[in-house]
Amino acid sequence: MIAPGIAHPEHEFMAGLSAPSPATVLLITGPELVDSWKPFLAWKKRLGKPVRILSTTQISERYEAKDLQEKIRRCIRNHTDHLGTRWIILGGDSEENGGGVVPSRETLHRTQSGELTKVPTDIYYLSKKDWDSDNDGVYGEWEQDRESIDYPDGDVGLGRIPVRRSEDVKAYTEKVIAYESRYPESEFATSMAYASAKTSLPTGLRTRWDDKISKVLAGGSVRYFFPTSEKNKGFGPKEWITLFNGLAYGKLHLTGPGRHDAWLFKNDTKITQAEIFQLNNREAYPVITTTSPYTGQF
């Protein structure tokens, strides 16, 4: 007996719909961007990673749930649990109140000052549960919904590509192809930099290279950049630009406070679009990961 609303392969592909061919990647996007993503799908297929694309409209029609976000979650769990999918791409930006190309799930959290605020999250989509124990339509309340909050175990990867227009998808696809087809064969490929807006790096970041990353980037190296108390020394916007344009690091992790329109450094200095336009690292695009409350336009 299948629980109501839980979609299984035979349910999704009923009514004349054929079952999909095996795909290790599932890309979810808005119906208006499906055609724009096809060159990306073709490229990934050449690399041996077949991609299946579903629009939010298709998911909405094929799955039963109380809103689109829950339908997307059930679709993703269907693919990871039954169809061998191991990577999920949310191919579109999100906006407040469930808007955007692919909406995020807004959860209710209490800030350090005690105020309740909505915090968007995508981790919800990998959860085995719906984050709403009391069924009140307010998700992620720690006291009320704790029993239904479930975090992923790391077996499946999920990421968002925050595009809004066909032009965005085209630009992103061109960069992916350039990156994956002409990746520099040098120390760039195995060198990593940790950069922080704070005056010190967390202990976990300092040990992560030795514990995990160095085992993947065999023979690689790591450097740490962060502000100091000494005048005219440390890490700020100028050093950030040099880090990119120097073409020395293929992996870059940024940690510290972010804002919707900038990346913050010491003494309120920041990285904005003005600094972005000074980059000239064409054909040497680093993989960038971030840890911050918000990254926004940055």
Side-chain angles (χ1 to χ4, degrees):
M1 184 71 179
I2 297 175
I6 302 298
H8 284 252
E10 62 270 25
H11 282 191
E12 182 182 349
F13 307 108
M14 61 192 298
L17 294 170
S18 60
S21 57
T24 56
V25 182
L26 172 65
L27 191 154
I28 297 172
T29 190
E32 70 279 11
L33 294 180
V34 168
D35 288 340
S36 302
W37 278 111
K38 288 182 178 178
F40 176 84
L41 271 61
W43 171 253
K44 287 298 181 180
K45 185 177 180 180
R46 282 183 56 187
L47 298 183
K49 288 186 176 179
V51 181
R52 184 184 186 213
I53 187 168
L54 283 176
S55 72
T56 51
T57 299
Q58 290 173 310
I59 293 173
S60 180
E61 292 173 347
R62 298 178 187 182
Y63 288 81
E64 296 180 4
K66 54 189 173 184
D67 62 12
L68 178 58
Q69 290 95 320
E70 177 62 8
K71 291 179 179 181
I72 292 174
R73 186 189 70 83
R74 292 181 177 182
C75 172
I76 289 173
R77 292 303 314 186
N78 182 30
H79 281 74
T80 58
D81 293 345
H82 302 289
L83 301 177
T85 301
R86 286 296 169 262
W87 289 279
I88 308 297
I89 298 174
L90 305 178
D93 205 357
S94 65
E95 297 178 1
E96 293 182 345
N97 300 317
V101 180
V102 181
S104 58
R105 171 60 81 197
E106 291 183 340
T107 60
L108 196 65
H109 284 69
R110 194 173 296 278
T111 65
Q112 292 181 343
S113 62
E115 298 178 356
L116 288 174
T117 184
K118 291 182 179 180
V119 177
T121 180
D122 291 332
I123 293 178
Y124 161 85
Y125 286 130
L126 292 182
S127 176
K128 297 178 181 179
K129 302 177 181 179
D130 67 2
W131 290 31
D132 189 19
S133 294
D134 55 3
N135 200 34
D136 64 353
V138 181
Y139 295 83
E141 299 170 286
W142 185 242
E143 294 299 330
Q144 296 91 333
D145 298 328
R146 187 180 305 184
E147 292 183 359
S148 66
I149 296 176
D150 173 76
Y151 293 104
D153 55 15
D155 289 339
V156 178
L158 179 144
R160 180 182 292 272
I161 303 170
V163 293
R164 297 184 180 182
R165 307 168 302 163
S166 295
E167 295 89 337
D168 300 333
V169 178
K170 183 176 184 294
Y172 175 81
T173 300
E174 289 175 350
K175 288 185 177 182
V176 167
I177 294 175
Y179 179 82
E180 295 183 340
S181 62
R182 298 189 294 275
Y183 195 81
E185 295 182 0
S186 64
E187 293 182 0
F188 179 87
T190 57
S191 297
M192 184 166 187
Y194 283 107
S196 176
K198 302 178 181 179
T199 55
S200 62
L201 289 174
T203 303
L205 287 183
R206 289 187 175 276
T207 60
R208 195 166 297 159
W209 173 268
D210 292 332
D211 294 343
K212 295 182 179 180
I213 300 177
S214 63
K215 296 178 176 59
V216 178
L217 299 179
S221 61
V222 62
R223 286 192 65 186
Y224 301 94
F225 300 88
F226 52 90
T228 69
S229 57
E230 298 181 49
K231 188 176 181 180
N232 299 325
K233 289 187 177 182
F235 188 79
K238 180 180 178 180
E239 290 75 20
W240 186 89
I241 294 171
T242 301
L243 192 63
F244 277 82
N245 291 345
L247 310 182
Y249 302 98
K251 312 289 185 293
L252 176 61
H253 181 78
L254 303 174
T255 181
R259 240 174 36 187
H260 284 293
D261 61 347
W263 190 271
L264 303 182
F265 284 90
K266 191 177 179 182
N267 299 324
D268 291 329
T269 57
K270 62 188 70 172
I271 299 296
T272 66
Q273 288 187 353
E275 284 72 31
I276 299 294
F277 290 144
Q278 296 180 52
L279 299 180
N280 55 24
N281 59 315
R282 189 173 180 84
E283 308 298 345
Y285 305 117
V287 173
I288 304 173
T289 54
T290 64
T291 303
S292 73
Y294 297 97
T295 51
Q297 295 176 9
F298 177 83

